[in-house]
Amino acid sequence: MTVSKIIAAILAILGLGAAIQNFFLVPLLWKLIGIAVGAVAALAVIVFSLAKWARPHLGGGFRQRPSHRVKLRAGSAAVLAAVCLVFALVAYVVVRYNAISVGIVTAANTKVEFWIRGAIQGADKLTIQIPPPSRTKCVPIDAPGSGRYRADVVIVDWSTSNPHLELSNFFYPQLLGVQCIPSIEPDQIMVRVEPPTAEVFFPDRTYSYNAGIVIAGGVLWIVAFVVFWLRS
């Protein structure tokens, strides 16, 4: 019997490991959907458990003190907020793990610098499409103190109408700058990445995802607390 339990435990661990591995192979959106589903399921279990705990069945004519009931509800609200915060942090870490972030530094209308930082998961290949030299002059620049984390860049078709930069094995904390004179708009530079599980985040997309995670966490907490309140 003991041997069968050990085998079952090993199989369960192997199954969990395979599930985690598959989780990291799916696109970012599906990762976030999976985290949201997990958050809803966990909150449902916790809400009903807290509601049962906060609404004890008292007999013999005894009644629960209002002040004690308020403390139970306040404590339950704090627990639900902590659970939502944990799932929000998990979502943020997953986004950061997959994100190749692009920062933008401008100096009036004379020049603009795009600073591209590698994702933690790494990128097999990164292609940076830039405007042709007739429109603006763009050159790759190294980050100060990059040292051994300097990215290796290959310039392709630089004097044609389709110039681009190629990087291989681009990973965090590597940082590459692209300086363009005169300045161009962010939509005039295109960054493509392989594998597709890594995604490129310009500042507006980074803000949208961070705000979405915060809002989703807040909404989940409100819904969970309302359900808890009604059932307690």
Side-chain angles (χ1 to χ4, degrees):
M1 187 68 177
T2 304
V3 175
S4 62
K5 288 183 178 180
I6 294 175
I7 294 175
I10 293 174
L11 292 176
I13 293 173
L14 291 176
L16 179 60
I20 294 175
Q21 184 178 11
N22 291 332
F23 175 79
F24 283 100
L25 293 177
V26 300
L28 177 60
L29 179 59
W30 287 106
K31 290 187 180 76
L32 295 178
I33 291 175
I35 292 171
V37 171
V40 171
L43 284 171
V45 173
I46 294 172
V47 162
F48 287 112
S49 298
L50 288 175
K52 185 177 180 180
W53 170 69
R55 184 170 45 88
H57 298 286
L58 301 177
F62 293 97
R63 302 181 63 184
Q64 191 180 66
R65 293 181 179 179
S67 60
H68 183 61
R69 191 174 181 84
V70 170
K71 291 180 181 179
L72 289 175
R73 285 181 167 173
S76 298
V79 170
L80 294 175
V83 173
C84 292
L85 178 61
V86 168
F87 277 98
L89 289 176
V90 170
Y92 174 80
V93 170
V94 168
V95 171
R96 185 66 191 90
Y97 180 83
N98 291 268
I100 294 175
S101 59
V102 182
I104 302 175
V105 179
T106 58
N109 294 323
T110 58
K111 71 176 182 178
V112 61
E113 293 177 355
F114 300 93
W115 289 99
I116 305 166
R117 185 176 296 278
I120 297 175
Q121 77 156 45
D124 297 334
K125 181 179 179 181
L126 190 75
T127 302
I128 306 171
Q129 192 83 36
I130 59 177
S134 59
R135 188 180 306 171
T136 183
K137 182 180 180 181
C138 296
V139 294
I141 54 176
D142 289 324
S146 55
R148 65 189 182 95
Y149 293 114
R150 178 179 299 171
D152 294 326
V153 186
V154 177
I155 301 174
V156 182
D157 297 334
W158 199 247
S159 59
T160 69
S161 60
N162 188 35
H164 56 279
L165 307 173
E166 290 186 358
L167 296 87
S168 299
N169 299 319
F170 187 60
F171 59 91
Y172 181 87
Q174 286 183 332
L175 183 65
L176 174 70
V178 178
Q179 184 185 83
C180 297
I181 301 175
S183 179
I184 59 173
E185 295 298 323
D187 59 1
Q188 292 182 274
I189 185 171
M190 182 180 299
V191 183
R192 297 189 299 272
V193 60
E194 297 176 8
T197 49
E199 300 197 24
V200 179
F201 278 72
F202 280 82
D204 55 347
R205 192 181 186 201
T206 300
Y207 174 81
S208 298
Y209 268 69
N210 289 342
I213 290 172
V214 172
I215 292 172
V219 170
L220 280 176
W221 178 80
I222 292 172
V223 172
F225 184 71
V226 169
V227 174
F228 161 79
W229 185 279
L230 295 176
R231 294 193 64 88
S232 63

